[in-house]
Amino acid sequence: DGGITQSPKYLFRKEGQNVTLSCEQNLNHDAMYWYRQDPGQGLRLIYYSQIVNDFQKGDIAEGYSVSREKKESFPLTVTSAQKNPTAFYLCASSPTGGNTGELFFGEGSRLTVL
Amino acid sequence: GIQVEQSPPDLILQEGANSTLRCNFSDSVNNLQWFHQNPWGQLINLFYIPSGTKQNGRLSATTVATERYSLLYISSSQTTDSGVYFCAGEGETSGSRLTFGEGTQLTVNP
């Protein structure tokens, strides 16, 4: 089945450790996105990529890094520089790399930093 | 960037009732979309509706782009409709980035 797979679904880490969240899609979409959601709030854009080997900062990119070496993969690293990393992280993709087309989401990864 | 305001923030209904959720934008938007987030966090795209009206079963949406708002109608609500409803839009100068509202928390009681 086509879709977006995020892993792990739940992750616990100690403060000061870097963690990498995986996002894979088999929808053949050009564009991929990472969002952060805090309890009771909307989604905020961390990074996005409209095409392989290119990505742009979103509204809250500080303390995060990404790569887009393959069309189907867009991993997110939460670095130790991110001051409040505990959150729900959502990966999404859309068919086109121009204007944001219809957006499809993975099931999310819940990161808790102890 | 654009501001997105959703109303009401919370809504409690009895099963079978109808409801209207509203989304206002501070500026002209493209690519307006509505999403439903279930209690487990999964976001499902309900409508991609830059303008006009669309219907999908008990749900329908209308966007009046010239007046910068969109409405989501839920008819004959069911308990499975519970969750958070988000709207999102892309400002004309935003460049491939959707801005999300804070959401409407809907609870449908049996």
Side-chain angles (χ1 to χ4, degrees):
Chain A
D1 285 351
I4 302 170
T5 301
Q6 290 188 238
S7 63
K9 285 188 170 43
Y10 299 93
L11 185 59
F12 296 87
R13 278 293 181 269
K14 291 183 179 180
E15 201 170 316
Q17 290 182 326
N18 291 355
V19 298
T20 297
L21 308 179
S22 170
C23 179
E24 304 278 331
Q25 55 99 359
N26 60 6
L27 300 168
N28 200 33
H29 286 175
D30 287 323
M32 297 186 74
Y33 308 80
W34 274 106
Y35 288 90
R36 169 181 173 138
Q37 186 179 30
D38 292 289
Q41 296 187 26
L43 280 65
R44 293 183 290 168
L45 183 63
I46 304 172
Y47 268 98
Y48 64 105
S49 168
Q50 296 175 284
I51 197 169
V52 175
N53 292 322
D54 188 41
F55 49 83
Q56 286 79 40
K57 293 182 179 179
D59 300 316
I60 56 166
E62 185 176 351
Y64 299 97
S65 66
V66 294
S67 63
R68 186 85 187 276
E69 296 176 2
K70 298 186 294 183
K71 185 176 184 177
E72 60 270 24
S73 179
F74 192 40
L76 173 74
T77 297
V78 185
T79 76
S80 56
Q82 168 50 233
K83 294 179 182 177
N84 296 296
T86 295
F88 187 47
Y89 291 89
L90 287 150
C91 178
S93 69
S94 66
T96 61
N99 290 331
T100 309
E102 192 173 353
L103 206 60
F104 298 89
F105 282 88
E107 293 185 342
S109 294
R110 292 190 186 277
L111 172 63
T112 302
V113 175
L114 306 172
Chain B
I2 62 169
Q3 306 300 315
V4 182
E5 183 179 330
Q6 289 190 243
S7 61
D10 296 279
L11 186 58
I12 299 175
L13 301 173
Q14 285 300 121
E15 203 167 20
N18 301 329
S19 63
T20 301
L21 282 57
R22 186 178 179 105
C23 184
N24 290 332
F25 293 90
S26 60
D27 205 344
S28 298
V29 290
N30 300 314
N31 302 317
L32 198 152
Q33 304 181 40
W34 283 94
F35 300 88
H36 174 230
Q37 187 170 38
N38 66 24
W40 298 272
Q42 174 78 53
L43 273 151
I44 302 297
N45 194 309
L46 297 175
F47 292 103
Y48 176 77
I49 185 166
S51 64
T53 297
K54 288 186 178 179
Q55 180 153 10
N56 184 3
R58 296 180 296 103
L59 273 59
S60 64
T62 295
T63 295
V64 184
T66 54
E67 297 188 19
R68 305 198 296 260
Y69 74 88
S70 184
L71 302 173
L72 178 69
Y73 306 96
I74 304 174
S75 64
S76 305
S77 58
Q78 300 176 358
T79 56
T80 52
D81 294 333
S82 296
V84 184
Y85 290 81
F86 291 102
C87 64
E90 180 179 309
E92 291 188 342
T93 58
S94 297
S96 298
R97 49 173 71 187
L98 285 179
T99 298
F100 281 76
E102 295 282 301
T104 292
Q105 174 74 59
L106 174 64
T107 302
V108 180
N109 292 321

